[in-house]
Amino acid sequence: MGGCADGRAGGSNQAIPAKDRKIAIMSGTPSFEFVIARNPHGQFCIPKQYMHRPVPKMLVRGEIYEPETQEYLASLATSGDLVCGGAFVGDFLPRLDRAVQPGGRIHTFEPNPISFAAAQHTIALNGLENCVLHQCGIGSTAGVLNLQVAKPNGNAMAARARIVADKVEGQTIEVPIETLDSLVPADRKVSAIQLDIEGHEEEAIKGACRIIRENAPVIIFEAEKTLQQQVYSELLDHLFPTLGYALDRVMERNSVFIPRKLSK
């Protein structure tokens, strides 16, 4: 199973200087064709090449994707920063940005260049001031990995883009990888980590050991199946045995793990 990463990429208490990070707070108009969707939380930039995918379809219909999860995360934003991702087109960001307390932050990331640009524009459309968006994937160490962004037939993977082992012409691109420990400054209090990164969650958690050991945040994984939940339970128990993480609830497609200190 392995343990937490060491050094700058995993266990360092020193955050990367802001000048060295790829951060976007506002943006201009994306270079690709897109539509603007609206729901009760705000406006969203939807690339036209994503229109065949489920989440964009929901947003265009004016619906909220995973409303229960968004509200739960919003309730946790009152006690610290939130770490959530991948950002995709920013579908969680308007609701969460409004939920954070003065001085609070939403730390998010997106390695797919099209999705990153869409999330940038979503941030700009809504005038969000508390989101820190990084153009990278996350893992146990810093480096470069292959991200599958298209299917063999050429259709965009959209929210299902995933880290893969092999490079495939026309389907994958190389993307930078950072650790959450390096992206989130050491002086930030983190109340929750929410990950939906298509099977790369274990590597992401190994790169967040400093954050988790110092903050004992609520951790939310996309994991609706019992086997997936067991894998994550064993991972958290292995990496953080003293924190006593346990599955607390399942909402929509997500499993919520809380540390012993928050158990009733």
Side-chain angles (χ1 to χ4, degrees):
M1 183 174 290
C4 294
D6 295 322
R8 169 193 173 280
S12 173
N13 285 333
Q14 299 300 316
I16 297 176
K19 65 182 179 64
D20 295 331
R21 299 191 218 129
K22 295 181 179 178
I23 298 176
I25 302 298
M26 301 293 285
S27 70
T29 302
S31 59
F32 48 81
E33 292 187 335
F34 64 94
V35 299
I36 302 298
R38 295 174 175 83
N39 72 16
H41 291 331
Q43 304 179 74
F44 305 88
C45 173
I46 310 296
K48 284 194 173 180
Q49 60 188 282
Y50 289 181
M51 293 291 287
H52 64 291
R53 301 297 299 173
V55 176
K57 285 181 178 180
M58 290 184 67
L59 295 174
V60 169
R61 292 195 299 264
E63 299 172 9
I64 299 170
Y65 179 61
E66 295 190 343
E68 186 179 355
T69 301
Q70 291 197 42
E71 290 305 312
Y72 181 68
L73 279 167
S75 73
L76 298 173
T78 60
S79 56
D81 290 0
L82 301 180
V83 175
C84 63
F88 189 42
V89 298
D91 43 297
F92 275 34
L93 299 183
R95 176 66 185 99
L96 301 185
D97 186 272
R98 293 198 307 274
V100 297
Q101 297 298 294
R105 292 288 180 268
I106 308 298
H107 306 273
T108 188
F109 53 88
E110 178 52 59
N112 186 332
I114 299 298
S115 300
F116 175 80
Q120 279 187 304
H121 200 49
T122 292
I123 289 172
L125 287 168
N126 294 280
L128 308 183
E129 298 181 348
N130 302 309
C131 294
V132 183
L133 172 64
H134 304 266
Q135 187 173 9
C136 64
I138 56 170
S140 60
T141 59
V144 176
L145 293 175
N146 297 307
L147 181 74
Q148 185 181 2
V149 296
K151 296 180 178 180
N153 63 7
N155 286 343
M157 298 278 286
R160 293 300 182 188
R162 66 188 63 214
I163 298 296
V164 295
D166 299 324
K167 181 177 181 180
V168 180
E169 185 70 26
Q171 296 183 43
T172 64
I173 60 173
E174 291 186 338
V175 295
I177 301 296
E178 297 289 349
T179 67
L180 288 176
D181 278 346
S182 68
L183 295 182
V184 179
D187 62 351
R188 303 301 302 184
K189 179 182 178 183
V190 175
S191 60
I193 298 174
Q194 179 261 335
L195 297 174
D196 181 357
I197 51 177
E198 304 305 316
H200 208 61
E201 286 84 356
E202 179 174 342
E203 294 302 302
I205 289 297
K206 290 178 181 177
C209 288
R210 185 263 302 166
I211 294 173
I212 296 171
R213 286 173 178 158
E214 293 181 359
N215 296 275
V218 172
I219 301 177
I220 304 173
F221 297 105
E222 182 190 38
E224 58 184 336
K225 296 181 179 180
T226 302
L227 180 59
Q228 292 175 304
Q229 295 161 359
Q230 183 63 32
V231 168
Y232 291 134
S233 179
E234 292 176 359
L235 173 68
L236 295 176
D237 186 58
H238 172 70
L239 294 179
F240 315 106
T242 63
L243 297 181
Y245 274 98
L247 180 63
D248 179 66
R249 69 188 74 181
V250 178
M251 59 180 70
E252 292 152 340
R253 300 175 64 190
N254 303 300
S255 295
V256 178
F257 291 83
I258 64 172
R260 185 181 300 109
K261 71 174 185 179
L262 297 180
S263 299
K264 293 182 180 180

